[in-house]
Structure formats: C-alpha cells, structure tokens
C-alpha cells in the first residue's frame, strides 16, 4: 500500500497535500501530532511535532512571555515548521535558512524502525537541540526533500530578540536597474550588512498584492503593458518604479543607523533610487506584512496576488543562481520570453540568500479553465529546460515537475539519481513511502511509465 506523509499539507505552489501516486494513503501527521514538546528559553531552541505551525510556535512563545525569543517564519505562517524545513523553505530573519538551523530529527523508517539523528542517538542526551551533528556520518540530509522516512520530531534553533528592528523599502525606477542593484546587494549580503533574505520584487507584483483583480487596472488583451504598470505603481507608496527592495535592519538604533547608512550610500549609486519613508506608508500596505515576516511574526497576506485572475491558483518556478547582475537579467529574460509565448500571468521576485539567490516566479492562473492550467504547466516545463540549458537548477518544485527537475541534475550519467535510487531501495525495500517524491522512484515503479 503506497503511503505519503505530510505534516500539514500546506506546501502551497509545490503540490500541497497531494501524493504523487494515485491511490496512496496520505498520512496526515499534523492532525494529531501537533505538540510543541519543548521551548528552551535559555538555549533558544525548540522541539516540535509535524502539526506545529509557525503561528502555533509564535503564539506559544508569546503566551509564555518569552520576549527575548523570536521565531523565523516563511511568507505564509500557516504551514508546518517541520514540513517547511524538510522541503527547505526559507524565512526572512537572519535565521531564515530553516534547514541550516534545525538540530535533530526523529524519524520512522519505511521498515518501521525509529531513529534519532545527531545527539538524539545518545540515550538521555541533553544537547539534541544544541549540537546538530552528534557522532559519525550526518544522516539528516536523507530526510530532506526525500522519501526515506517519516519525520515525527524536529529540533530547531530560535533567534534572540535583536533589541530593535526596522524595515526599509527602496524603489528603483528602471527595469535595467536590476543588474547593478544585484551587484550592489552581493557584497552587502555576504558581509551581513544586509542581514536577512533580501527581496527584490517586480512593480507588477507590488500592484497585484493589493489583492485587486487585473481587470481593475487593465482590460485589454494580453499582459498588462509597461505604461499601465508605471501608472499604477505611481499611485502606491513605492511610486513609479520597476523594482522594489524590501529589507530589515536588526539591533539597537545606533547599530541599525550604522548599517542603514552603508546601505543607503550603496543603493544611491543607482540613479533615481529612492528610499521610501515608512512613516508615509499606510498601515494596510503590504510593506507592513513584510515588516511582520522579517520580525518573525507570522502573516498570511502574501497570496493576495492570487486575486489577479478569477479562481486564482498559483505554481512557482524557482531557479537558483549566483548573486550576479548578469544571472538576474538572464533569468528574468528567460521567464518574460516564455510568458509572452504562453500568455500566462507571472510575478518574478528575487530572494537573495547569503551567496546565492532564488528567483521565485509565481504563475497565477484560473484553475477552472483547462487551457489556463495547461499553459501554466507548459510554460513551467519550458522554463525548467531553458534554465537547465543555461546551468540553473530549481531548489524546489511542484510534485508534478519533480521528475523533470531531478533529470536536470544529471552530471556524470545521472550519478546522483543512481545513488538516490540505491539508497531508496536499501531503506525502503517494499517501495511504499512517497514514491516519486523528488523524482526518486522505488524499484517496483521504475521504468513502468510513472515518470513524467
Ligand atoms: P507545510 O504544511 O509546511 O507546507 P507539508 O506538510 O505540505 O508542509 O510538507 C511538504 C512536503 O514535505 C510534503 O509533501 C512531504 O513530501 C514532505 N513532508 C512533510 N512533512 C513530512 C514528515 N513529517 N515526514 C516526511 N516527509 C514530510
């Protein structure tokens, strides 16, 4: 009997709660395993079960009155901490790389044994959540974006309250400002002057996140023309622009002032760059949503751009690249060319990690229209191939695209997939667990027409 474990199933844009194999029994772990097993207020760590959402963790910390502890939340706080971390989701505080700050897993293997990784393997250990490595090979990676186990507990580091925080927003006037901006961001980000995952968003997405339909702005054929984007952006706090930067500075006022001054000098090298004074931004503007998220306060506003089309649904194309202007330009061009070809609506945004950036291109479509669903899928498939031809790979993808994305990681005659399959067959000899997840199929499914 094929089984498919989920934590809360809110992996929106990447497949939600859906199993890859029709007829699988979905194990909804979050339904009953939803306890916060520990919050250590001295070590700044926690231990959670699959059903603990970012909201639940945040609220538990507030309820205990732990003002000195922050959590990190992704764009949408309603999902599972474990589910998001296993899928290598990110948030927007300095602790945004969730996988990097997890410490210790408890896992049920496909054959039924239960293992604890890291220090959890030592009975009575008191450092399971504070030293992720333990002794010997680190097995945690086997259980991330994989189908080798059911994770029932996970430890995670929590962030100390930095003693102050301040969101900032810059608007950049021209589409061509993207490349120089990315070049400026790279050294600032690597040296932690820009301390959190930086977001560079298109003006179009900033217009759409008001939650209003496209037809409010434009009723003509095809995509919204550039002049309409400029006109509508001009009505928003960002003003007439092509790109908007959202960031946050952490620490007491004098420390923030030191860093923000450097940022301002660097960003001002781009002609026409404008810092938007937060005091002028209305409280219902999306800026304050980003302000919450970057301060570890869960929020749900992000998906308002789904209202762009009737019955709006979304799916993401998420390639990774170096933080370089020429890569940003190549990826935006690739996406825009395919957008024109397939006539889909899309919103590109760059999320700049420490030494790489993810371009997240959200495609929004009317889920009740078969042609719109097909156009979204065809466009995604084309973009994945285009990206791979240029040397870019996705960091995460929708369940339906996992075979294709896995096939792009093909170096040395597919050596990585061969290794994945050997491990899969060894740990899951009956091939029951989440077959097809991340493009990894157990022996009894391989080459029988399941891959797509
Ligand atoms: P979230 O609710 O945070 O969005 P999901 O529950 O949708 O996360 O998890 C995303 C994906 O990660 C799932 O589709 C599943 O493949 C995998 N996954 C999630 N939780 C577990 C778990 N506890 N054990 C094993 N795999 C999991």
């Amino acid at each position: 009997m094929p089984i498919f474990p989920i934590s809360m199933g809110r992996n929106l844009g990447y497949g939600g709660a859906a199993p890859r194999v029709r007829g699988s029994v979905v194990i909804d772990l979050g339904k009953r395993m939803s306890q916060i097993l520990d919050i250590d207020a001295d070590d700044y760590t926690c231990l959670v079960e699959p059903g603990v959402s970012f909201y639940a963790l945040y609220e538990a910390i507030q309820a205990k009155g732990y003002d000195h502890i922050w959590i990190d939340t992704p764009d949408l706080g309603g999902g599972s901490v474990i589910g998001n971390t296993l899928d290598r989701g990110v948030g927007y505080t300095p602790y945004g790389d969730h996988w990097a700050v997890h410490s210790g897993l408890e896992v049920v293997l496909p054959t039924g044994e239960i293992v604890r990784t890291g220090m959890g393997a030592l009975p009575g250990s008191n450092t399971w959540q504070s030293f992720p490595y333990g002794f010997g090979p680190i097995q945690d990676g086997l259980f991330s974006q994989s189908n080798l186990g059911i994770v029932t507990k996970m430890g995670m580091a929590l962030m100390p309250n930095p003693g102050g925080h301040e969101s900032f927003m810059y608007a950049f006037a021209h589409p061509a400002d993207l490349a120089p901006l990315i070049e400026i961001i790279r050294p600032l980000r690597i040296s932690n002057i820009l301390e959190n995952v930086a977001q560079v968003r298109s003006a179009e997405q900033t217009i759409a996140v008001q939650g209003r339909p496209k037809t409010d702005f434009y009723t003509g054929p095809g995509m919204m023309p550039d002049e309409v984007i400029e006109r509508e952006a001009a009505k928003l706090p960002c003003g007439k622009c092509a790109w908007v930067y959202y960031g946050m500075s952490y620490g007491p006022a004098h420390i923030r002032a030191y860093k923000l001054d450097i940022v301002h000098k660097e960003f001002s090298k781009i002609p026409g760059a404008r810092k938007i004074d937060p005091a002028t931004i209305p409280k219902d503007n999306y800026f304050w949503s980003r302000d919450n998220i970057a301060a570890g306060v869960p929020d749900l506003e992000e998906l308002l751009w789904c209202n762009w089309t009737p019955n709006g649904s979304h799916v993401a194309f998420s390639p990774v690249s170096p933080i370089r202007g020429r890569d940003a330009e190549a990826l935006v061009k690739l996406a825009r060319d395919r957008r024109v070809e397939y006539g889909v609506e899309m919103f590109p945004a760059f999320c700049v990690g420490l030494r790489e950036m993810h371009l997240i291109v959200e495609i929004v479509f009317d889920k009740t229209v078969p042609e719109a669903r097909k156009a979204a899928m065809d466009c995604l498939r084309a973009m994945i191939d285009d990206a791979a031809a240029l040397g870019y790979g996705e960091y995460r993808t929708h369940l339906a695209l996992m075979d294709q994305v896995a096939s792009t990681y093909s170096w040395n005659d597919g050596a990585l997939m061969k290794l994945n399959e050997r491990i899969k067959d060894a740990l899951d000899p009956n091939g029951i667990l989440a077959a097809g997840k991340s493009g990894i199929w157990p022996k009894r499914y391989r080459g029988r027409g399941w891959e797509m």
Side-chain angles (χ1 to χ4, degrees):
M1 176 67 72
I3 57 175
F4 192 86
I6 58 163
S7 284
M8 296 177 74
R10 309 224 174 116
N11 202 15
L12 304 179
Y14 296 113
R20 178 64 177 75
V21 170
R22 194 169 286 201
S24 295
V25 171
V26 174
I27 303 184
D28 185 354
L29 297 151
K31 202 84 181 164
R32 292 190 184 80
M33 298 188 78
S34 54
Q35 289 195 54
I36 298 170
L37 300 170
D38 187 39
I39 296 173
D40 190 312
D42 299 320
D43 291 347
Y44 296 80
T45 61
C46 65
L47 181 67
V48 296
E49 290 187 332
V52 177
S53 69
F54 292 93
Y55 267 100
L57 185 58
Y58 174 78
E59 283 161 10
I61 287 171
Q62 300 305 303
K64 284 178 183 289
Y66 291 158
D67 288 343
H68 62 300
I69 299 180
W70 278 21
I71 70 156
D72 184 278
T73 177
D75 291 289
L76 299 167
S80 153
V81 177
I82 288 186
N84 180 278
T85 304
L86 293 181
D87 229 32
R88 301 202 285 272
V90 302
Y92 297 87
T93 73
Y95 280 42
D97 183 347
H98 295 160
W99 182 252
V101 297
H102 95 281
S103 182
L105 301 175
E106 181 184 270
V107 189
V108 180
L109 299 179
T111 42
E113 295 100 322
I114 305 176
V115 293
R116 289 185 174 183
T117 66
M119 297 306 293
L122 192 148
S125 165
N126 49 14
T127 46
W128 194 17
Q129 272 63 71
S130 38
F131 184 58
Y133 307 134
F135 181 76
I138 300 164
Q139 306 296 3
D140 293 46
L142 293 174
F143 306 107
S144 166
Q145 286 194 6
S146 84
N147 50 8
L148 300 171
I150 300 177
V151 176
T152 48
K153 292 183 178 67
M154 184 187 74
M156 196 154 201
L158 300 168
M159 181 173 144
N161 181 337
H165 56 94
E166 182 175 346
S167 280
F168 56 96
M169 176 162 111
Y170 279 82
F172 298 91
H174 312 290
D177 292 340
L178 178 67
L181 174 61
I182 294 290
E183 289 293 318
I184 288 171
I185 289 172
R186 184 181 59 253
L188 296 178
R189 187 70 188 95
I190 292 175
S191 57
N192 256 318
I193 296 295
L194 294 170
E195 298 158 277
N196 67 340
V197 165
Q199 277 225 344
V200 182
R201 293 191 162 219
S202 60
E204 198 171 357
Q205 189 170 24
T206 304
I207 295 165
V209 82
Q210 296 175 89
R212 294 167 58 191
K214 178 181 162 188
T215 47
D216 272 14
F217 311 106
Y218 176 67
T219 49
M223 271 77 61
M224 199 157 81
D226 286 347
E227 7 3 314
V228 181
I229 297 174
E230 283 188 9
R231 184 192 72 207
E232 292 304 322
K235 298 176 188 166
L236 298 174
C238 60
K240 189 176 152 184
C241 65
W243 297 99
V244 186
Y245 182 99
Y246 294 91
M248 183 177 271
S249 183
Y250 301 86
H254 64 287
I255 300 208
R256 299 200 304 269
Y258 175 78
K259 293 179 283 197
L260 288 172
D261 187 47
I262 298 174
V263 172
H264 191 68
K265 283 198 183 97
E266 291 298 311
F267 281 13
S268 298
K269 288 178 181 167
I270 297 180
R274 279 177 294 114
K275 183 173 185 177
I276 314 299
D277 179 2
T280 65
I281 303 177
K283 283 293 167 198
D284 61 353
N285 186 270
Y286 175 73
F287 173 82
W288 297 109
S289 217
R290 293 245 62 90
D291 182 60
N292 275 338
I293 293 165
V297 181
D299 195 281
L300 291 173
E301 298 293 299
E302 179 63 36
L303 290 185
L304 280 173
W305 37 253
C306 280
N307 294 348
W308 199 240
T309 59
N311 310 303
S313 199
H314 70 110
V315 63
F317 166 61
S318 317
V320 177
S321 82
I323 312 172
R324 292 199 194 277
R326 62 172 180 270
D327 294 296
E329 276 180 343
L331 284 168
V332 166
K333 179 176 181 325
L334 178 166
R336 294 234 157 107
D337 287 353
R338 290 298 188 179
R339 169 188 175 160
V340 171
E341 183 182 345
Y342 290 95
V344 297
E345 298 291 335
M346 61 168 67
F347 304 120
F350 288 95
C351 298
V352 186
L354 208 52
R355 284 183 175 75
E356 56 72 46
M357 59 191 182
H358 304 1
L359 169 62
I360 309 291
V361 178
E362 290 283 4
I363 297 182
V364 180
F365 58 97
D366 184 337
K367 64 184 170 220
T368 64
V369 177
E371 299 77 38
R373 293 202 302 266
K374 182 171 182 326
M377 195 58 154
D378 291 349
C379 182
L380 268 166
R381 287 207 179 275
M383 290 194 296
I384 291 167
D385 284 344
D386 291 346
L390 297 172
Y392 305 113
E394 285 65 50
Y395 92 102
R396 187 180 185 187
T397 197
H398 189 281
L399 207 57
L401 296 160
M402 286 179 174
D403 291 316
Q404 187 187 357
V405 169
S407 76
T408 64
Y409 286 78
S410 61
W411 183 80
N412 195 15
D413 197 23
L416 181 60
M417 183 51 79
K418 287 177 191 165
L419 173 63
N420 287 338
E421 288 175 348
R422 273 161 69 193
I423 296 172
K424 177 67 177 165
D425 292 340
L427 295 187
D428 184 7
N430 295 322
I432 55 166
L433 190 77
K437 166 92 183 174
S438 294
I440 304 164
W441 292 94
K443 203 172 195 161
R444 68 183 172 117
Y445 289 82
R446 282 203 289 275
R448 296 185 168 195
W450 286 92
E451 296 90 347
M452 45 183 213

